[in-house]
Amino acid sequence: MRTKSSAIAPTGIAVSSRPGSSFGTLQAALGVAAFSLTFPATAWGLESFGPWSLVAVRSVLAALIAGGCLLALRVPLPARRHWTGLAVVVAGVVVGFPLLTTLALRTSTAAHAAVVVGLLPLTTALFSALRVGTRPSRTFWTAALAGAAAVVAFTVQQSGGALTTADLYLFAALLVCAAGYTEGGRLARVMPGWQVIGWALVLCLPFTLPAAAVALSYEPVDLTWHGVSGLLWVAVGSQFVGMVVWYRGMAAIGIPKASQLQLAQPLLTLVWSVLLLGEHLTVAAPLTAAAVLVCIAVTQRARG
């Protein structure tokens, strides 16, 4: 009798690994594409909403969709012992990362943010090592430090010799998201990954719903096609549906193949930034992104 094996994805989420299929590859690729559009969609959303309104409303919409799925499938409430872990996921993935990156994108370009946040797999690997107590190889740490150095050098060079407030927001986003992914990975060993995200969104609803009402009453709203489209994408595409197809794809094709697909995410964001936002890339942006991807590939190989 065959048994499914579990592994940790580059984002720190545990999923089942089994022989792949073309449909599984398609689902994983759709997940990567959904995530790569997050920053451009956020930039669009900021055309109509303030940063606090955008984050709160996006979370409410995603929670309503997730809650509907959980209710329709009659998924039982998670055990009380898992609530603390879900709170970490809420703080890191549902609230922290979206809020900090949205604040950063008020003054930073999506392309710049994509390069900085390209360090997320490395940051998550560090948190995972600390949380689980594993000891990665020297090759792993060398590649991780090289990737971090490349991003720091890029941000300092782009900012004229000093880190900006947007850069600080982005680096903080890396830390809180890595913590949320790591804790989500632990929880995903005992429940499907989409349920971890789903319950985190739903449990956060009593806070995000009033927060959305307050934010909308204070921040001006100027509805445009771009703004509404950006909001809907980050709520439906990035925060929930993207997660669902990504986890299903990972389970179908296995960790190594899906990991290779995810390496394209920062570069895809650079492409969307040019096509959708009209941003002009410096030579340093794609070169730094490529260097980070090489470092991530080395760390994944070292861990494997």
Side-chain angles (χ1 to χ4, degrees):
M1 179 177 180
R2 293 182 178 179
T3 58
K4 297 179 181 178
S5 60
S6 276
I8 302 297
T11 51
I13 304 295
V15 294
S16 298
S17 179
R18 64 189 184 189
S21 67
S22 57
F23 186 57
T25 300
L26 175 61
Q27 290 183 101
L30 288 174
V32 171
F35 301 148
S36 72
L37 279 162
T38 299
F39 287 166
T42 300
W44 272 9
L46 287 171
E47 294 181 14
S48 294
F49 302 91
W52 298 89
S53 299
L54 181 61
V55 172
V57 173
R58 115 184 218 177
S59 181
V60 169
L61 292 178
L64 293 176
I65 297 172
C69 293
L70 291 168
L71 185 63
L73 296 175
R74 298 182 180 180
V75 178
L77 282 169
R80 186 176 293 272
R81 66 181 182 277
H82 299 318
W83 287 11
T84 300
L86 286 171
V88 176
V89 176
V90 167
V93 178
V94 177
V95 177
F97 185 79
L99 177 60
L100 290 168
T101 53
T102 299
L103 291 173
L105 286 169
R106 291 182 304 169
T107 55
S108 173
T109 65
H112 181 92
V115 174
V116 176
V117 177
L119 276 178
L120 184 56
L122 298 181
T123 311
T124 303
L126 173 60
F127 271 77
S128 297
L130 295 175
R131 181 72 170 86
V132 180
T134 58
R135 295 187 177 184
S137 67
R138 183 176 300 177
T139 300
F140 172 91
W141 289 116
T142 300
L145 291 174
V151 169
V152 171
F154 170 79
T155 54
V156 171
Q157 186 270 333
Q158 293 289 297
S159 304
L163 296 179
T164 65
T165 301
D167 292 327
L168 297 178
Y169 280 137
L170 291 171
F171 282 119
L174 283 174
L175 296 178
V176 298
C177 190
Y181 275 150
T182 301
E183 196 62 26
R186 187 186 66 81
L187 290 173
R189 294 172 180 170
V190 294
M191 67 176 77
W194 76 269
Q195 290 183 22
V196 175
I197 299 299
W199 282 119
L201 288 164
V202 170
L203 294 177
C204 195
L205 192 57
F207 304 98
T208 54
L209 191 57
V214 171
L216 288 171
S217 67
Y218 280 94
E219 293 181 333
V221 175
D222 181 19
L223 297 181
T224 64
W225 182 85
H226 271 182
V228 174
S229 298
L231 168 64
L232 292 177
W233 184 264
V234 294
V236 181
S238 300
Q239 195 142 25
F240 186 67
V241 176
M243 289 286 188
V244 172
V245 294
W246 172 247
Y247 291 136
R248 288 176 63 88
M250 291 281 281
I253 67 177
I255 303 303
K257 189 173 181 180
S259 299
Q260 294 305 310
L261 292 174
Q262 193 183 38
L263 294 180
Q265 186 174 319
L267 291 176
L268 281 174
T269 299
L270 295 182
V271 173
W272 297 131
S273 299
V274 173
L275 295 179
L276 300 179
L277 303 177
E279 294 182 358
H280 299 285
L281 300 182
T282 63
V283 176
L287 289 180
T288 304
V292 171
L293 298 188
V294 171
C295 292
I296 293 173
V298 172
T299 60
Q300 295 305 310
R301 186 176 181 85
R303 291 172 71 192

